[in-house]
Amino acid sequence: MTVTEAIQNRQSERAYLDKPVEKEKIQQCIEAARLAPSACNAQGWTFVIVDDKDLKNEIAKCANSLGMNKFVEQAPVIVAIIVEKPNFTSWIGSLIKRKDYSLMDIGIATENLCLQAQELGLGTCIMGWFNEKKVKKLLHIPPYKHLALIVSIGYTDNEQRKKIRKPLSEIMRINRY
C-alpha cells in the first residue's frame, strides 16, 4: 500500500470484528508514531496500549456519553495518548509564538499511527470525547498530565465510504489568501 492509498482509504471506523490484534502490529503502529516529527525534536508523548478486555471496556464506558462512541467497546485495543512535558526549546517557542506545539506534535504522531494501522489492515478511530479524569485514574496517569486522545484499533469488515471533502478550490490558495 502506498502512502497515498493509506491516506485515501483511512477512515474513522466505528465497528470492529471480534478478533484480537497481534501485538507486533500494535508495536508497528507505535513505532510509526514514535518516528513522527515534533517541534525541536521534543517527542512529547507517551502511548499507553490497553488490550486487557476488562480495562478496555472500562475505558470504553468513559468514552460513551451523550450517545457518542458506543462502538469503542467492540475495539480490541485502545491507545491512550498522553502529552508529555516538552523540551526547553519547544516550550519557549510555544510561549513566544503562542502556539501549542505539543498538541500539533500529538496530532502528527497520531496520524502516523493511524496510517500505519491502515497499511496493516486495521481500522482506527481518533477520539477526543471521553472522561479524561476517569481514564487517567484507570490507567494510573498522574493527574497533572494531559490525556489528549484515545484511539480505537481493530479489524473491521466495513466497506470504504465515499469521502466528502471540500474541493481544492475552496481550501487552497497560491501566493496569497
Side-chain angles (χ1 to χ4, degrees), residues 133-147:
K133 186 175 181 179
K134 286 184 181 178
V135 175
K136 285 167 56 172
K137 185 173 182 173
L138 286 165
L139 297 179
H140 305 279
I141 299 167
Y144 57 87
K145 299 277 186 184
H146 174 54
L147 173 56

mmCIF file with all atom_site columns, all heavy atoms in Angstrom, residues 133-147:
data_model
loop_
_atom_site.group_PDB
_atom_site.id
_atom_site.type_symbol
_atom_site.label_atom_id
_atom_site.label_alt_id
_atom_site.label_comp_id
_atom_site.label_asym_id
_atom_site.label_entity_id
_atom_site.label_seq_id
_atom_site.pdbx_PDB_ins_code
_atom_site.Cartn_x
_atom_site.Cartn_y
_atom_site.Cartn_z
_atom_site.occupancy
_atom_site.B_iso_or_equiv
_atom_site.pdbx_formal_charge
_atom_site.auth_seq_id
_atom_site.auth_comp_id
_atom_site.auth_asym_id
_atom_site.auth_atom_id
_atom_site.pdbx_PDB_model_num
ATOM 1   N N   . LYS A 1 133 ? -10.592 12.485 33.324 1.00 0.00 ? 133 LYS A N   1
ATOM 2   C CA  . LYS A 1 133 ? -10.261 12.213 34.725 1.00 0.00 ? 133 LYS A CA  1
ATOM 3   C C   . LYS A 1 133 ? -10.400 10.719 35.043 1.00 0.00 ? 133 LYS A C   1
ATOM 4   O O   . LYS A 1 133 ? -9.528  10.124 35.681 1.00 0.00 ? 133 LYS A O   1
ATOM 5   C CB  . LYS A 1 133 ? -11.158 13.055 35.637 1.00 0.00 ? 133 LYS A CB  1
ATOM 6   C CG  . LYS A 1 133 ? -10.813 12.979 37.094 1.00 0.00 ? 133 LYS A CG  1
ATOM 7   C CD  . LYS A 1 133 ? -11.673 13.926 37.917 1.00 0.00 ? 133 LYS A CD  1
ATOM 8   C CE  . LYS A 1 133 ? -11.298 13.858 39.382 1.00 0.00 ? 133 LYS A CE  1
ATOM 9   N NZ  . LYS A 1 133 ? -12.111 14.778 40.199 1.00 0.00 ? 133 LYS A NZ  1
ATOM 10  N N   . LYS A 1 134 ? -11.483 10.114 34.578 1.00 0.00 ? 134 LYS A N   1
ATOM 11  C CA  . LYS A 1 134 ? -11.703 8.687  34.852 1.00 0.00 ? 134 LYS A CA  1
ATOM 12  C C   . LYS A 1 134 ? -10.700 7.806  34.115 1.00 0.00 ? 134 LYS A C   1
ATOM 13  O O   . LYS A 1 134 ? -10.190 6.839  34.673 1.00 0.00 ? 134 LYS A O   1
ATOM 14  C CB  . LYS A 1 134 ? -13.136 8.292  34.473 1.00 0.00 ? 134 LYS A CB  1
ATOM 15  C CG  . LYS A 1 134 ? -14.173 8.803  35.441 1.00 0.00 ? 134 LYS A CG  1
ATOM 16  C CD  . LYS A 1 134 ? -15.559 8.310  35.063 1.00 0.00 ? 134 LYS A CD  1
ATOM 17  C CE  . LYS A 1 134 ? -16.605 8.854  36.026 1.00 0.00 ? 134 LYS A CE  1
ATOM 18  N NZ  . LYS A 1 134 ? -17.969 8.410  35.642 1.00 0.00 ? 134 LYS A NZ  1
ATOM 19  N N   . VAL A 1 135 ? -10.415 8.139  32.847 1.00 0.00 ? 135 VAL A N   1
ATOM 20  C CA  . VAL A 1 135 ? -9.449  7.331  32.088 1.00 0.00 ? 135 VAL A CA  1
ATOM 21  C C   . VAL A 1 135 ? -8.069  7.435  32.737 1.00 0.00 ? 135 VAL A C   1
ATOM 22  O O   . VAL A 1 135 ? -7.366  6.427  32.883 1.00 0.00 ? 135 VAL A O   1
ATOM 23  C CB  . VAL A 1 135 ? -9.402  7.747  30.602 1.00 0.00 ? 135 VAL A CB  1
ATOM 24  C CG1 . VAL A 1 135 ? -8.302  6.982  29.867 1.00 0.00 ? 135 VAL A CG1 1
ATOM 25  C CG2 . VAL A 1 135 ? -10.747 7.512  29.922 1.00 0.00 ? 135 VAL A CG2 1
ATOM 26  N N   . LYS A 1 136 ? -7.684  8.635  33.136 1.00 0.00 ? 136 LYS A N   1
ATOM 27  C CA  . LYS A 1 136 ? -6.385  8.800  33.786 1.00 0.00 ? 136 LYS A CA  1
ATOM 28  C C   . LYS A 1 136 ? -6.302  7.966  35.058 1.00 0.00 ? 136 LYS A C   1
ATOM 29  O O   . LYS A 1 136 ? -5.277  7.341  35.326 1.00 0.00 ? 136 LYS A O   1
ATOM 30  C CB  . LYS A 1 136 ? -6.137  10.277 34.079 1.00 0.00 ? 136 LYS A CB  1
ATOM 31  C CG  . LYS A 1 136 ? -5.762  11.070 32.831 1.00 0.00 ? 136 LYS A CG  1
ATOM 32  C CD  . LYS A 1 136 ? -5.800  12.564 32.975 1.00 0.00 ? 136 LYS A CD  1
ATOM 33  C CE  . LYS A 1 136 ? -4.976  13.129 34.060 1.00 0.00 ? 136 LYS A CE  1
ATOM 34  N NZ  . LYS A 1 136 ? -4.913  14.610 34.018 1.00 0.00 ? 136 LYS A NZ  1
ATOM 35  N N   . LYS A 1 137 ? -7.379  7.926  35.804 1.00 0.00 ? 137 LYS A N   1
ATOM 36  C CA  . LYS A 1 137 ? -7.389  7.122  37.027 1.00 0.00 ? 137 LYS A CA  1
ATOM 37  C C   . LYS A 1 137 ? -7.246  5.629  36.692 1.00 0.00 ? 137 LYS A C   1
ATOM 38  O O   . LYS A 1 137 ? -6.462  4.915  37.325 1.00 0.00 ? 137 LYS A O   1
ATOM 39  C CB  . LYS A 1 137 ? -8.668  7.381  37.827 1.00 0.00 ? 137 LYS A CB  1
ATOM 40  C CG  . LYS A 1 137 ? -8.694  6.680  39.150 1.00 0.00 ? 137 LYS A CG  1
ATOM 41  C CD  . LYS A 1 137 ? -9.885  7.092  39.988 1.00 0.00 ? 137 LYS A CD  1
ATOM 42  C CE  . LYS A 1 137 ? -9.806  6.373  41.329 1.00 0.00 ? 137 LYS A CE  1
ATOM 43  N NZ  . LYS A 1 137 ? -10.809 6.813  42.262 1.00 0.00 ? 137 LYS A NZ  1
ATOM 44  N N   . LEU A 1 138 ? -7.994  5.168  35.695 1.00 0.00 ? 138 LEU A N   1
ATOM 45  C CA  . LEU A 1 138 ? -7.939  3.760  35.303 1.00 0.00 ? 138 LEU A CA  1
ATOM 46  C C   . LEU A 1 138 ? -6.542  3.348  34.837 1.00 0.00 ? 138 LEU A C   1
ATOM 47  O O   . LEU A 1 138 ? -6.096  2.226  35.081 1.00 0.00 ? 138 LEU A O   1
ATOM 48  C CB  . LEU A 1 138 ? -8.944  3.476  34.186 1.00 0.00 ? 138 LEU A CB  1
ATOM 49  C CG  . LEU A 1 138 ? -10.412 3.435  34.594 1.00 0.00 ? 138 LEU A CG  1
ATOM 50  C CD1 . LEU A 1 138 ? -11.310 3.509  33.359 1.00 0.00 ? 138 LEU A CD1 1
ATOM 51  C CD2 . LEU A 1 138 ? -10.709 2.168  35.399 1.00 0.00 ? 138 LEU A CD2 1
ATOM 52  N N   . LEU A 1 139 ? -5.848  4.264  34.159 1.00 0.00 ? 139 LEU A N   1
ATOM 53  C CA  . LEU A 1 139 ? -4.537  3.946  33.594 1.00 0.00 ? 139 LEU A CA  1
ATOM 54  C C   . LEU A 1 139 ? -3.375  4.418  34.466 1.00 0.00 ? 139 LEU A C   1
ATOM 55  O O   . LEU A 1 139 ? -2.219  4.313  34.058 1.00 0.00 ? 139 LEU A O   1
ATOM 56  C CB  . LEU A 1 139 ? -4.416  4.554  32.189 1.00 0.00 ? 139 LEU A CB  1
ATOM 57  C CG  . LEU A 1 139 ? -5.404  4.025  31.158 1.00 0.00 ? 139 LEU A CG  1
ATOM 58  C CD1 . LEU A 1 139 ? -5.200  4.710  29.816 1.00 0.00 ? 139 LEU A CD1 1
ATOM 59  C CD2 . LEU A 1 139 ? -5.301  2.513  31.024 1.00 0.00 ? 139 LEU A CD2 1
ATOM 60  N N   . HIS A 1 140 ? -3.684  4.933  35.644 1.00 0.00 ? 140 HIS A N   1
ATOM 61  C CA  . HIS A 1 140 ? -2.661  5.407  36.584 1.00 0.00 ? 140 HIS A CA  1
ATOM 62  C C   . HIS A 1 140 ? -1.795  6.511  35.974 1.00 0.00 ? 140 HIS A C   1
ATOM 63  O O   . HIS A 1 140 ? -0.574  6.570  36.209 1.00 0.00 ? 140 HIS A O   1
ATOM 64  C CB  . HIS A 1 140 ? -1.785  4.254  37.096 1.00 0.00 ? 140 HIS A CB  1
ATOM 65  C CG  . HIS A 1 140 ? -2.584  3.151  37.717 1.00 0.00 ? 140 HIS A CG  1
ATOM 66  N ND1 . HIS A 1 140 ? -3.042  3.213  39.011 1.00 0.00 ? 140 HIS A ND1 1
ATOM 67  C CD2 . HIS A 1 140 ? -3.047  1.982  37.214 1.00 0.00 ? 140 HIS A CD2 1
ATOM 68  C CE1 . HIS A 1 140 ? -3.738  2.116  39.287 1.00 0.00 ? 140 HIS A CE1 1
ATOM 69  N NE2 . HIS A 1 140 ? -3.757  1.360  38.206 1.00 0.00 ? 140 HIS A NE2 1
ATOM 70  N N   . ILE A 1 141 ? -2.428  7.374  35.202 1.00 0.00 ? 141 ILE A N   1
ATOM 71  C CA  . ILE A 1 141 ? -1.742  8.528  34.619 1.00 0.00 ? 141 ILE A CA  1
ATOM 72  C C   . ILE A 1 141 ? -1.764  9.633  35.670 1.00 0.00 ? 141 ILE A C   1
ATOM 73  O O   . ILE A 1 141 ? -2.821  9.935  36.218 1.00 0.00 ? 141 ILE A O   1
ATOM 74  C CB  . ILE A 1 141 ? -2.446  8.994  33.327 1.00 0.00 ? 141 ILE A CB  1
ATOM 75  C CG1 . ILE A 1 141 ? -2.426  7.869  32.283 1.00 0.00 ? 141 ILE A CG1 1
ATOM 76  C CG2 . ILE A 1 141 ? -1.793  10.270 32.777 1.00 0.00 ? 141 ILE A CG2 1
ATOM 77  C CD1 . ILE A 1 141 ? -3.344  8.110  31.097 1.00 0.00 ? 141 ILE A CD1 1
ATOM 78  N N   . PRO A 1 142 ? -0.629  10.233 35.982 1.00 0.00 ? 142 PRO A N   1
ATOM 79  C CA  . PRO A 1 142 ? -0.613  11.286 37.002 1.00 0.00 ? 142 PRO A CA  1
ATOM 80  C C   . PRO A 1 142 ? -1.620  12.397 36.680 1.00 0.00 ? 142 PRO A C   1
ATOM 81  O O   . PRO A 1 142 ? -1.807  12.741 35.506 1.00 0.00 ? 142 PRO A O   1
ATOM 82  C CB  . PRO A 1 142 ? 0.823   11.821 36.947 1.00 0.00 ? 142 PRO A CB  1
ATOM 83  C CG  . PRO A 1 142 ? 1.623   10.690 36.376 1.00 0.00 ? 142 PRO A CG  1
ATOM 84  C CD  . PRO A 1 142 ? 0.711   9.993  35.414 1.00 0.00 ? 142 PRO A CD  1
ATOM 85  N N   . PRO A 1 143 ? -2.249  12.937 37.706 1.00 0.00 ? 143 PRO A N   1
ATOM 86  C CA  . PRO A 1 143 ? -3.302  13.944 37.477 1.00 0.00 ? 143 PRO A CA  1
ATOM 87  C C   . PRO A 1 143 ? -2.823  15.199 36.767 1.00 0.00 ? 143 PRO A C   1
ATOM 88  O O   . PRO A 1 143 ? -3.601  15.872 36.107 1.00 0.00 ? 143 PRO A O   1
ATOM 89  C CB  . PRO A 1 143 ? -3.818  14.259 38.879 1.00 0.00 ? 143 PRO A CB  1
ATOM 90  C CG  . PRO A 1 143 ? -2.862  13.654 39.831 1.00 0.00 ? 143 PRO A CG  1
ATOM 91  C CD  . PRO A 1 143 ? -2.061  12.626 39.112 1.00 0.00 ? 143 PRO A CD  1
ATOM 92  N N   . TYR A 1 144 ? -1.543  15.533 36.870 1.00 0.00 ? 144 TYR A N   1
ATOM 93  C CA  . TYR A 1 144 ? -1.029  16.752 36.242 1.00 0.00 ? 144 TYR A CA  1
ATOM 94  C C   . TYR A 1 144 ? -0.720  16.550 34.748 1.00 0.00 ? 144 TYR A C   1
ATOM 95  O O   . TYR A 1 144 ? -0.393  17.500 34.050 1.00 0.00 ? 144 TYR A O   1
ATOM 96  C CB  . TYR A 1 144 ? 0.215   17.262 36.973 1.00 0.00 ? 144 TYR A CB  1
ATOM 97  C CG  . TYR A 1 144 ? 1.334   16.257 37.061 1.00 0.00 ? 144 TYR A CG  1
ATOM 98  C CD1 . TYR A 1 144 ? 2.283   16.142 36.047 1.00 0.00 ? 144 TYR A CD1 1
ATOM 99  C CD2 . TYR A 1 144 ? 1.440   15.409 38.161 1.00 0.00 ? 144 TYR A CD2 1
ATOM 100 C CE1 . TYR A 1 144 ? 3.300   15.215 36.122 1.00 0.00 ? 144 TYR A CE1 1
ATOM 101 C CE2 . TYR A 1 144 ? 2.462   14.474 38.246 1.00 0.00 ? 144 TYR A CE2 1
ATOM 102 C CZ  . TYR A 1 144 ? 3.385   14.379 37.221 1.00 0.00 ? 144 TYR A CZ  1
ATOM 103 O OH  . TYR A 1 144 ? 4.379   13.446 37.297 1.00 0.00 ? 144 TYR A OH  1
ATOM 104 N N   . LYS A 1 145 ? -0.816  15.324 34.259 1.00 0.00 ? 145 LYS A N   1
ATOM 105 C CA  . LYS A 1 145 ? -0.582  15.042 32.839 1.00 0.00 ? 145 LYS A CA  1
ATOM 106 C C   . LYS A 1 145 ? -1.865  15.293 32.051 1.00 0.00 ? 145 LYS A C   1
ATOM 107 O O   . LYS A 1 145 ? -2.970  15.192 32.575 1.00 0.00 ? 145 LYS A O   1
ATOM 108 C CB  . LYS A 1 145 ? -0.163  13.583 32.624 1.00 0.00 ? 145 LYS A CB  1
ATOM 109 C CG  . LYS A 1 145 ? 1.107   13.189 33.320 1.00 0.00 ? 145 LYS A CG  1
ATOM 110 C CD  . LYS A 1 145 ? 2.299   13.571 32.509 1.00 0.00 ? 145 LYS A CD  1
ATOM 111 C CE  . LYS A 1 145 ? 3.572   13.032 33.177 1.00 0.00 ? 145 LYS A CE  1
ATOM 112 N NZ  . LYS A 1 145 ? 4.752   13.469 32.465 1.00 0.00 ? 145 LYS A NZ  1
ATOM 113 N N   . HIS A 1 146 ? -1.715  15.568 30.749 1.00 0.00 ? 146 HIS A N   1
ATOM 114 C CA  . HIS A 1 146 ? -2.873  15.780 29.879 1.00 0.00 ? 146 HIS A CA  1
ATOM 115 C C   . HIS A 1 146 ? -3.032  14.586 28.949 1.00 0.00 ? 146 HIS A C   1
ATOM 116 O O   . HIS A 1 146 ? -2.121  14.252 28.196 1.00 0.00 ? 146 HIS A O   1
ATOM 117 C CB  . HIS A 1 146 ? -2.704  17.069 29.072 1.00 0.00 ? 146 HIS A CB  1
ATOM 118 C CG  . HIS A 1 146 ? -3.779  17.299 28.059 1.00 0.00 ? 146 HIS A CG  1
ATOM 119 N ND1 . HIS A 1 146 ? -5.120  17.295 28.378 1.00 0.00 ? 146 HIS A ND1 1
ATOM 120 C CD2 . HIS A 1 146 ? -3.703  17.536 26.734 1.00 0.00 ? 146 HIS A CD2 1
ATOM 121 C CE1 . HIS A 1 146 ? -5.827  17.523 27.285 1.00 0.00 ? 146 HIS A CE1 1
ATOM 122 N NE2 . HIS A 1 146 ? -4.997  17.669 26.265 1.00 0.00 ? 146 HIS A NE2 1
ATOM 123 N N   . LEU A 1 147 ? -4.181  13.936 29.029 1.00 0.00 ? 147 LEU A N   1
ATOM 124 C CA  . LEU A 1 147 ? -4.528  12.841 28.137 1.00 0.00 ? 147 LEU A CA  1
ATOM 125 C C   . LEU A 1 147 ? -5.237  13.470 26.940 1.00 0.00 ? 147 LEU A C   1
ATOM 126 O O   . LEU A 1 147 ? -6.377  13.909 27.037 1.00 0.00 ? 147 LEU A O   1
ATOM 127 C CB  . LEU A 1 147 ? -5.429  11.834 28.854 1.00 0.00 ? 147 LEU A CB  1
ATOM 128 C CG  . LEU A 1 147 ? -6.022  10.709 28.033 1.00 0.00 ? 147 LEU A CG  1
ATOM 129 C CD1 . LEU A 1 147 ? -4.959  9.903  27.316 1.00 0.00 ? 147 LEU A CD1 1
ATOM 130 C CD2 . LEU A 1 147 ? -6.876  9.816  28.924 1.00 0.00 ? 147 LEU A CD2 1
#
